[in-house]
Structure formats: C-alpha cells, structure tokens
Amino acid sequence: MSAPAPQGAGVFSRLPASRHLLGLERLPREELVDLLDQAARFRELLDGPGIDRDDLRGVSICNAFFESSTRTRVSFELAEQRLGATHVSFASNDSSTAKGETLLDTLRVVQSMRVDLFVVRHPASGAAAYLARHLEAGVVNAGDGCHEHPTQGLLDLLALRRAFAGRFEGRRVAIVGDIAHSRVARSALHGLRTLGATAIVAGPATLMPAGIESLGAQVAPTVEDALRGADAVIALRLQRERMEQGLLASTAEYARVWGVDARRVELLEPGGVVLHPGPMNRGVEIASDVADGPRSLIFEQVTDGVAVRCAVLRRCAAALGRERRA
Ligand code: CP
C-alpha cells in the first residue's frame, strides 16, 4: 500500500497511533478524543455533501466475520468504499475455516494476497489481540467474545458527546442488562472512565460479573436506581449465544424486572437519552415505544457507526504506512 495522503487541513490527527485497534482499554484520552473529533467530521460529511474521498486509495482491507453482524459489517464496508479502499469480506461459513483451517492460517492466506488491514469479529475473547501478535497487517477488533467492541464503544461515545454538548465530566450513564456477556458494555465502561463520566451498571445478579467495579462502574441494585438522575441509558441485549443455560428464569420475567420501558425512562434527567447497540429485542430489554420515542438515539448511533469506522480505518492505515516507511 502507499501511505494515505491527508486531505483537508485540520481534519485528521497528528497523533501517533497503532496500526491496530483492539480495545478502548488503555487507549490514551488524547487519542480517544482525537478519534471522536475525526469521526464527528466524517459525520458532518455524511449529513452534508457525503463522503467521497481517496484517503484509503491503495489500501486493501479484508472484513473477516466469524460471527453474524449487520451494523458493524455493513458500516465497515460502506466506510471502506467511501474512502476508496479495495475491500473484500467473508463470513466463517463461507471460509476455509469450515474445512478445518485454523483462524491464523486463514488470515495468513489472505494476508499473502497483500491485504493491509483486517477487520475481525470472532466469538473468542482475545482473538483480535492474538491475530495482531501474529500478522504483519493491522487488525481492527469488530467484537471479540465478551471482551471488547471498540468501534461500538466509540460510536456510543460520539452519540453521547453530541447529546452532552461535548462534556462528559459530571455526566451519569446507566448501562442495563446482560453486563457479563457484553463486549459493548466493556468498551463503553473504558471509554466513559477515560472521558470522566460516571457509569452505573444494573442487571440480574447472574449476569453481573464479579469485579465490574474495577472498570470504574457503580453497581445499582435495580433498574430504577440506575436510571434515576442519569443523563443516558444504554440498554443491552440478552446475549444468549454466549450464555449458559439457567441464568434467567424467563424472558418475560427479565422484561418485567429489567426492561427499559417508558415509565422507567421518565426517571432520567430531563433531556436524558436512550441508546442501544443493536440488534434490539423489542419488548425484552427495551420497550418498542422507548426505542422509537423522542429520547432514542438508536438510529443516530447507526449513522455514527459509519463515521467512526471511517476515522478508525484511516487512523490504522496511516499508522501502517508510517510503520512500513520507518
Ligand atoms: N452492535 C453490533 O455490533 O451489531 P451487529 O452485530 O449487527 O454488528
């Protein structure tokens, strides 16, 4: 690849960055803010003239999805297309891992075709970091097991920053539901802590990981306690694909006790907003009238996802270009 040429004075970062984005944990505040600033610029372009740029001309990207996805995969593909990258995608069921090839060998094969960056979703926590250790290409984590989903965390932060008029300090963000299996919650917790907001988590005891306080979260005993006086709530899906049997009595009971419904949303501060990473299970973790209501940022988050992925891909490609020149 040739190093992407910066376009537009002041649009893009001058900060050093890695060719990988594996998580928001340990991402320095300056770099996090810089990524959000870049994503906000891309969001303005999406809302205005559109994105039709050459930032990633000459960069080859492979989206390797070993778990299902709509939002993440489509938005990465759109970002790659709009920035002029050469890009291909495959899913686990149509790759040779289905014939017994290892994950690493499969990606090494694709890397041999001169791919510069991989966007990887995998059910195993740590898969993205493992690949980053063994590949010369850059690796962007698109969700690894219960560990992190950094671009989801960034788009949540971008939507919140707009709602909070740019200031996270003093803000309270409730995260409700299946915390134990949520890579979205982990990335959000790291990002909120870095930016100075307070995170309050709530959910069934069986879905609340021990030691969650070490990520800076306060644990509320009920959904009402979490939402009362909060500036935002992030409702989480029950991640049954990662859940052992017997952790919940029933979906109906869960919705009654932990669901984010219209009555509970009234406990938020005036102007408080509702987020959900998707996919939503309406009537379970979130009521339909809340998802479609005036406080909901859910579809705004999806648009932010394209902007964030443009910013992340450009950052990783630029870092890779620098590393190869060094
Ligand atoms: N939020 C999220 O990761 O959605 P997808 O599984 O559809 O990508």
Side-chain angles (χ1 to χ4, degrees), residues 6-311:
Q7 296 189 353
V11 174
F12 294 114
S13 169
R14 290 157 303 280
L15 291 170
S18 158
R19 69 183 189 278
H20 310 299
L21 180 66
L22 305 176
L24 298 190
E25 187 177 16
R26 291 189 288 274
L27 190 69
R29 180 188 164 92
E30 297 71 28
E31 210 177 315
L32 177 56
V33 170
D34 191 64
L35 271 172
L36 293 175
D37 289 345
Q38 293 180 46
R41 300 290 186 100
F42 278 118
R43 176 66 205 248
E44 285 170 14
L45 292 176
L46 276 173
D47 290 343
I51 300 175
D52 180 13
R53 301 171 61 102
D54 279 334
D55 303 75
L56 297 182
R57 188 71 61 206
V59 179
S60 298
I61 303 175
C62 175
N63 305 299
F65 277 66
F66 296 88
E67 244 187 25
S68 58
S69 168
T70 300
R71 277 146 287 268
T72 311
R73 180 168 161 176
V74 172
S75 59
F76 266 113
E77 289 179 0
L78 284 171
E80 290 153 8
Q81 202 165 326
R82 285 172 176 172
L83 297 183
T86 299
H87 61 114
V88 289
S89 299
F90 68 83
S92 50
N93 57 355
D94 61 20
S95 82
S96 289
T97 53
K99 299 177 191 167
E101 190 170 57
T102 67
L103 170 66
L104 182 57
D105 277 341
T106 296
L107 266 60
R108 271 186 179 144
V109 166
V110 180
Q111 180 177 260
S112 301
M113 301 176 199
R114 301 293 181 258
V115 159
D116 302 300
L117 291 174
F118 286 99
V119 175
V120 181
R121 170 168 290 190
H122 198 278
S125 299
Y130 166 75
L131 291 168
R133 279 197 302 278
H134 291 93
L135 295 171
E136 286 96 52
V139 176
V140 178
N141 181 6
D144 62 329
C146 304
H147 174 230
E148 278 221 43
H149 190 349
T151 56
Q152 179 69 46
L154 286 167
L155 74 88
D156 292 342
L157 295 172
L158 186 61
L160 288 171
R161 189 170 79 159
R162 215 167 32 240
F164 295 167
R167 283 193 66 82
F168 281 90
E169 290 83 2
R171 298 290 190 169
R172 293 168 64 82
V173 178
I175 306 177
V176 176
D178 179 3
I179 309 291
H181 301 98
S182 179
R183 54 199 180 205
V184 173
R186 261 172 208 78
S187 289
L189 287 171
H190 292 308
L192 289 169
R193 175 145 84 166
T194 301
L195 295 175
T198 301
I200 305 110
V201 295
T206 49
L207 300 178
M208 186 61 67
I212 192 74
E213 295 89 345
S214 69
L215 303 188
Q218 298 174 9
V219 182
T222 68
V223 63
E224 286 83 3
D225 286 311
L227 265 61
R228 192 173 294 110
D231 299 289
V233 56
I234 303 175
L236 298 174
R237 181 175 66 86
L238 291 171
Q239 285 151 90
R240 295 202 178 272
E241 69 275 22
R242 288 191 271 280
M243 203 182 282
E244 291 166 32
Q245 293 287 318
L247 291 181
L248 283 177
S250 73
T251 303
E253 172 78 352
Y254 176 85
R256 187 180 66 75
V257 178
W258 297 103
V260 175
D261 61 18
R263 183 176 53 86
R264 290 172 173 151
V265 160
E266 286 309 308
L267 297 169
L268 293 173
E269 283 290 295
V273 292
V274 176
L275 286 77
H276 190 303
M280 286 186 281
N281 287 304
R282 291 172 181 259
V284 182
E285 72 273 6
I286 189 165
S288 219
D289 56 348
V290 172
D292 297 327
R295 293 177 184 265
S296 172
L297 300 183
I298 293 169
F299 290 93
E300 287 296 309
Q301 287 175 267
V302 178
T303 311
D304 285 331
V306 178
V308 158
R309 281 143 191 154
C310 284

